[in-house]
Amino acid sequence: ARQSVQSVRENGTRPPSEASRRTMPNVDDVPDLGSLYRLGREQVAELVRSLSPEELAAPVAATPGWTVHDVVSHLAGVATDAVNGRLQGIPSPEQTEAQVTERAATPTSIVLREWERTGSQFEALLTKSRGRNVAPVVDVAVHEQDIRGAVGVPGNREGPLIDLAVERAVELWMSKVESAGLPPVGVGEPSGRLIAGLDDAPTTFRASRFELLRAIYGRRSRTQIERRFEGTDDPGAYVDLLCVFGPADQDIIE
C-alpha cells in the first residue's frame, strides 16, 4: 500500500524540545507550520528540478507502485485539494490515488509550479492552525527522504523538519509503551546522546533521528527496526507501537 503520512496523530504530545525551538520557526512559541512546510516544499522542489527524466520515472521503494513523479504529484495534490476545500482532514485512499492519476501525464515541472502556487496559499492556512495541523509538514519531510532514497541523493537528514516529525511521534510512542505495560524505553543516538526517555531505561532503541524517522513512518523492515533494540527479548512488542505505518515488507537501504 502507498504510505502517505497524512494520518500521523497530533494530540496528546508535548511541544518540541528546547533544542528544536532554537532552529524551528515559531509564532508566539508555537511552531510556525507554514514556514516549516515551505522549507520542505522548497527542498523537494530544488532536488526534483535537478533530476533527469530517468530519475523522475524511477520507482520509489518507500512508496511501492509510485515513481518520483508520482510522489511529487501527491504532494502537489494535497496542497491543491486543501486550498480548494476538497480536503477536510486526512485524504482518503481514493483521494490520494486521484492526486497521482490526475497528474500522471503532466510534466513534473508543471506539477512543481502548481505546488508552488497552491502551496503558498496552504502555508498561510498552516500558520493559522497554530501548531495543530502537523500532518502535511510531516508528509513533506518523509516524502523528501523517499525521493532522495530512490535517486541515491542523501541530504537534509537533520534540522527542524526531522525534529518536528520525530519528537511528536516519539512522545506518542512513549505513551503507548506505558499504556501497554512494557518496560520503559530510552531512545539514544549511536553516540550515546539521549533523544527521548530516561537514560537508565531498561530497554534502549539506538538510532539517529533520521533512522528513527524512517522506522516510525514505515520506511524500514521489521528486521531492520528490531535489531536496533537493546535490553529486551521481545523487540516486536515495541515495534508494533512505534510504527505509524509499516514496517516495510522488505529492507530499505538508503
Side-chain angles (χ1 to χ4, degrees):
R2 298 168 180 85
Q3 298 175 332
S4 168
V5 297
Q6 293 293 323
S7 59
V8 62
R9 296 187 181 181
E10 302 160 14
N11 297 320
T13 61
R14 294 189 311 203
S17 68
E18 188 62 35
S20 294
R21 283 198 187 101
R22 288 196 292 269
T23 56
M24 188 177 296
N26 291 276
V27 177
D28 298 330
D29 292 328
V30 175
D32 183 351
L33 298 180
S35 293
L36 288 167
Y37 183 90
R38 182 170 62 255
L39 172 64
R41 177 173 61 79
E42 291 175 347
Q43 289 177 176
V44 172
E46 180 181 11
L47 170 64
V48 170
R49 290 191 180 103
S50 73
L51 301 180
S52 67
E54 292 75 20
E55 289 171 320
L56 293 174
V60 179
T63 55
W66 279 5
T67 65
V68 170
H69 173 84
D70 293 335
V71 175
V72 179
S73 296
H74 159 65
L75 291 170
V78 168
T80 297
D81 287 347
V83 300
N84 286 300
R86 295 193 295 268
L87 192 61
Q88 304 299 324
I90 301 167
S92 67
E94 292 76 18
Q95 287 175 312
T96 301
E97 187 67 25
Q99 290 162 357
V100 173
T101 301
E102 290 170 0
R103 295 164 178 81
T106 303
T108 309
S109 59
I110 302 300
V111 177
L112 285 174
R113 286 205 289 271
E114 174 196 353
W115 192 19
E116 181 178 12
R117 183 179 65 257
T118 60
S120 61
Q121 300 174 58
F122 191 30
E123 288 150 17
L125 297 176
L126 291 173
T127 294
K128 290 179 181 178
S129 78
R130 295 189 55 77
R132 292 186 295 274
N133 195 7
V134 175
V137 182
V138 175
D139 203 38
V140 175
V142 173
H143 284 312
E144 177 187 353
Q145 298 303 328
D146 294 344
I147 295 171
R148 289 186 176 280
V151 299
V153 183
N156 296 329
R157 293 186 170 188
E158 297 179 348
L161 287 171
I162 303 298
D163 290 344
L164 180 74
V166 166
E167 291 187 8
R168 298 207 173 196
V170 168
E171 290 294 339
L172 180 60
W173 181 40
M174 296 286 182
S175 176
K176 288 180 177 179
V177 167
E178 182 178 6
S179 296
L182 293 171
V185 59
V187 181
E189 295 181 347
S191 65
R193 189 171 71 89
L194 190 69
I195 294 176
L198 302 174
D199 56 11
D200 61 349
T203 301
T204 304
F205 183 82
R206 293 283 181 203
S208 66
R209 285 174 178 266
F210 170 75
E211 284 296 331
L212 186 54
L213 173 88
R214 303 309 274 162
I216 290 169
Y217 296 102
R219 273 61 179 178
R220 295 292 183 264
S221 70
R222 180 174 290 274
T223 299
Q224 287 178 298
I225 301 172
E226 288 186 355
R227 68 187 180 208
R228 292 189 173 277
F229 282 91
E230 302 170 1
T232 177
D233 295 326
D234 186 18
Y238 291 92
V239 173
D240 292 337
L241 301 178
L242 171 67
C243 294
V244 175
F245 299 110
D249 292 336
Q250 299 179 359
D251 287 359
I252 296 178
I253 308 298
E254 299 172 319

